[in-house]
Amino acid sequence: MSNARELAEQFGLPICEQISHFPLVAGRIALIPYLLAKQKHLLPLEQEAHRVIVAVADPLDLESLEEVKLLLKKTLVPVYCPLELIESAIEQCYHQKEEETKELFAQGAAPSAEEGQEGYDLLERGEQNAVIRMVNAILVEAIGQGASDIHFEPTAEGLHVRYRIDGVLLKRHTPPRDVQSQIVTRVKVMAKMDIAETRLPQDGRIKLRHGGREIDFRVSTLPIVYGERLVLRILDKGNVVMGLDRIGMDDYSLRLLRKLVQMPEGIVLVTGPTGSGKTTTLYSALSEINASEMNIITVEDPVEYKLPGISQMNVNPKIELTFAKGLRHILRQDPDVIMIGEIRDKETAEIAIQASLTGHLVLSTLHTNDAPSALTRLADMGIEPYLLASSILGVIAQRLIRCICPHCKHSYTPSEPELEELGLAGWEGRPFYRGVGCSACFQTGYKGRHGIYEVMQVTSPIKTQVLKSQDGEELRRVALAQGMMSLFDQGARLVAAGITTSAELLRVTRIDTKEG
């Protein structure tokens, strides 16, 4: 359909570059079956007394238009729309509403754990039993609400379903008792796990479609007192923001990070807790330096998103393919840039440092609370100080902080103690903001997240300090004197700008102090 637009112009069809504002799309009203819209790439946009405006991606597909005309018994007015916009609008129209999910759970059912086809479309509503519909409803709702994880938690009261949205777990459903075990079994079947094994932890993966895009789920089971606990990590490419200029970094930190990742050799580390966006930052850095003349290889656990032009490898402990072993073999592939999913042990750290000293740029993650502590952590692993000073180019610590919901945002006057705690003395009289809670943010007062970053370039004074002592507090004092802005100070600026709240800043950076 590469010439579809030219055909539409030849036939005199109106061309629409945006269709989300049309009544049927905005109101999520579906006039035709999902499979017809999906397979024929067309969608009714507006309905009048005797005619219906229909978006089409293929102006030559007159047979499909005739099928829709017979179905709706109205005159059709076709308009051309690019395929990707139609697919997005189809997903919006046929997306399951929250009320439908609640109603489905309220109905209950007599289920059976029926095996489904891998990769099926979650929005297709064929002849499915109640358990399959319930599990599909949970997956669709979680994706629609922007959840990163789904938790199935057996308790003394029953099975609780919670979604992690913007980094915080929110309870969503308690399925009827008579279907709880079947729901767990259904998820295990989809993830190709052993449904008979309930005593040992298991890992699996589910690949499904949601409208026009593929979505992966990483599944983990854990046997606990009340049964098997399941967690599904949602890997949705449509929600991944790639590019260093799109991850919310301030101008100074962005310039410094770009400078670091353009270096021909050395190590750049990204630190932070699980779920703080470290992998996204690394992927964004790789996409920034990716070029045809570069050989970029990654070793990850697991590969979350496939990047074009980059060779990516999964670790596999079952066959003893660890980060260290994978990294050792990567070095025989003549790489220019290496990304290691995580430095977990001394062996991996030593190989990474040797790689950086022999002319490779190495990117990796480490679990520490702030940027200076990364050097302390590596020293604790047994890495010699002189190797740290000569190989580490810089460290980025990061957090994701929740943003105030724009739909229920209200101003208030901060108290003097609040301003003092944030280090914003002199801001008296200026308004701060917070969300009061509404349906758009599920009564939390927050919607979406913003990154805060602490970028520490390993300058000569920091190298001198590393050689003298690897104490985290001393390294932090020198880094702040060299111009590093702490996570707390970055967050305080967002509070002052009305992007987040002081309570959220203290929740996310409670391990930091104002002085560093």
Side-chain angles (χ1 to χ4, degrees):
M1 285 189 225
S2 57
N3 297 320
R5 181 182 290 271
E6 288 92 346
L7 288 171
E9 291 173 349
Q10 289 177 17
F11 295 158
L13 290 184
I15 295 177
C16 290
E17 299 291 354
Q18 182 56 257
I19 58 176
S20 60
H21 63 282
F22 279 92
L24 296 179
V25 180
R28 293 167 64 184
I29 299 169
L31 293 186
I32 61 176
Y34 172 68
L35 284 176
L36 177 60
K38 173 192 168 188
Q39 292 172 358
K40 305 301 183 181
H41 301 127
L42 48 77
L43 184 69
L45 303 178
E46 187 173 343
Q47 181 176 218
E48 299 174 0
H50 302 291
R51 67 173 197 162
V52 177
I53 299 175
V54 180
V56 299
D58 182 5
L60 294 177
D61 192 1
L62 303 179
E63 186 177 335
S64 296
L65 284 172
E66 189 63 29
E67 189 176 342
V68 174
K69 181 180 178 181
L70 291 172
L71 181 67
L72 300 180
K73 297 181 173 59
K74 291 186 178 182
T75 303
L76 300 188
V77 180
V79 298
Y80 170 76
C81 182
L83 176 60
E84 60 272 13
L85 290 182
I86 290 182
E87 288 181 336
S88 176
I90 288 173
E91 181 182 319
Q92 182 177 337
C93 277
Y94 293 86
H95 187 84
Q96 183 159 298
K97 301 178 178 65
E98 185 177 355
E99 301 76 39
E100 295 177 52
T101 310
K102 290 179 178 176
E103 184 181 340
L104 188 59
F105 281 103
Q107 289 170 356
S112 62
E114 175 183 314
E115 185 168 358
Q117 180 185 1
E118 182 186 19
Y120 70 85
D121 197 319
L122 284 166
L123 295 179
E124 290 182 12
R125 302 179 188 180
E127 292 298 320
Q128 300 170 332
N129 69 38
V131 165
I132 294 177
R133 292 203 307 274
M134 284 182 183
V135 172
N136 285 359
I138 290 170
L139 300 183
V140 169
E141 184 179 62
I143 293 167
Q145 293 183 6
S148 60
D149 302 86
I150 307 171
H151 291 237
F152 294 86
E153 301 171 321
T155 67
E157 296 78 34
L159 185 71
H160 293 169
V161 181
R162 297 199 291 172
Y163 304 157
R164 187 175 294 281
I165 300 174
D166 293 334
V168 176
L169 279 171
L170 302 174
K171 187 176 177 182
R172 280 290 172 262
H173 303 289
T174 303
R177 281 185 177 273
D178 58 343
V179 300
Q180 290 177 357
S181 61
Q182 287 88 349
I183 286 176
V184 172
T185 301
R186 169 61 183 166
V187 175
K188 291 177 70 176
V189 167
M190 294 170 72
K192 294 183 171 54
M193 294 177 172
D194 184 354
I195 62 174
E197 180 56 77
T198 60
R199 302 164 300 169
L200 294 173
Q202 296 186 63
D203 292 306
R205 197 161 188 146
I206 302 172
K207 185 185 288 291
L208 298 173
R209 292 190 301 277
H210 183 250
R213 65 187 196 268
E214 285 191 354
I215 297 178
D216 286 355
F217 300 82
R218 281 199 342 236
V219 186
S220 170
T221 70
L222 186 71
I224 62 173
V225 173
Y226 297 107
E228 283 187 284
R229 190 182 194 280
L230 271 70
V231 175
L232 282 70
R233 169 64 61 88
I234 302 173
L235 304 175
D236 182 3
K237 293 179 183 177
N239 283 341
V240 180
V241 176
M242 291 293 181
L244 292 178
D245 56 346
R246 300 176 62 197
I247 60 175
M249 191 172 278
D250 64 280
D251 291 341
Y252 172 76
S253 300
L254 179 60
R255 286 197 302 272
L256 191 51
L257 179 53
R258 278 188 165 139
K259 176 184 174 183
L260 292 174
V261 299
Q262 295 293 340
M263 295 285 189
E265 57 194 46
I267 299 177
V268 178
L269 297 171
V270 181
T271 77
T274 301
S276 60
K278 300 188 297 296
T279 302
T280 300
T281 299
L282 286 179
Y283 281 171
S284 296
L286 290 178
S287 65
E288 184 105 350
I289 59 180
N290 191 12
S292 59
E293 64 271 13
M294 301 281 280
N295 180 19
I296 302 176
I297 306 179
T298 76
V299 52
E300 306 172 53
D301 182 23
V303 172
E304 293 192 5
Y305 302 103
K306 295 178 180 63
L307 304 176
I310 293 175
S311 302
Q312 296 171 272
M313 180 175 70
N314 270 316
V315 300
N316 190 344
K318 292 180 181 178
I319 56 173
E320 298 182 356
L321 179 56
T322 61
F323 278 117
K325 189 172 184 179
L327 183 53
R328 197 176 288 113
H329 285 277
I330 282 176
L331 291 172
R332 298 170 188 165
Q333 293 281 315
D334 186 32
D336 297 298
V337 180
I338 302 167
M339 188 192 102
I340 311 166
E342 183 183 347
I343 294 178
R344 296 176 179 171
D345 50 51
K346 181 182 179 182
E347 185 182 9
T348 306
E350 286 178 338
I351 300 171
I353 287 173
Q354 290 303 320
S356 71
L357 295 175
T358 52
H360 305 88
L361 178 65
V362 180
L363 308 179
S364 188
T365 70
L366 200 63
H367 282 283
T368 62
N369 289 332
D370 57 13
S373 297
L375 300 178
T376 307
R377 173 83 178 103
L378 290 170
D380 289 343
M381 285 183 183
I383 304 302
E384 294 293 338
Y386 73 91
L387 290 174
L388 295 177
S390 57
S391 62
I392 307 295
L393 296 173
V395 185
I396 301 95
Q398 67 180 74
R399 300 288 189 278
L400 290 177
I401 195 165
R402 290 185 294 172
C403 300
I404 301 169
C405 174
H407 303 286
C408 59
K409 185 175 181 178
H410 285 273
S411 63
Y412 72 98
T413 302
S415 63
E416 285 188 21
E418 184 178 357
L419 290 171
E420 187 176 337
E421 191 169 24
L422 294 172
L424 295 174
W427 281 71
E428 293 84 354
R430 301 192 193 185
F432 274 21
Y433 296 88
R434 59 188 166 206
V436 297
C438 64
S439 58
C441 61
F442 312 111
Q443 307 304 322
T444 62
Y446 299 97
K447 191 168 182 64
R449 289 192 288 178
H450 193 289
I452 54 174
Y453 302 88
E454 179 179 275
V455 182
M456 181 187 78
Q457 183 177 12
V458 180
T459 56
S460 294
I462 294 176
K463 290 180 181 180
T464 302
Q465 179 60 40
V466 168
L467 293 172
K468 286 196 300 184
S469 166
Q470 298 84 52
D471 178 69
E473 287 303 316
E474 283 300 313
L475 287 169
R476 186 169 187 78
R477 181 185 58 77
V478 175
L480 290 170
Q482 290 290 302
M484 182 186 80
M485 182 177 288
S486 71
L487 287 167
F488 191 94
D489 289 338
Q490 288 267 4
R493 289 190 173 190
L494 296 184
V495 173
I499 294 172
T500 190
T501 65
S502 56
E504 175 67 4
L505 172 62
L506 294 172
R507 181 187 74 86
V508 171
T509 63
R510 58 182 177 271
I511 48 88
D512 295 312
T513 63
K514 229 171 15 200
E515 295 77 24

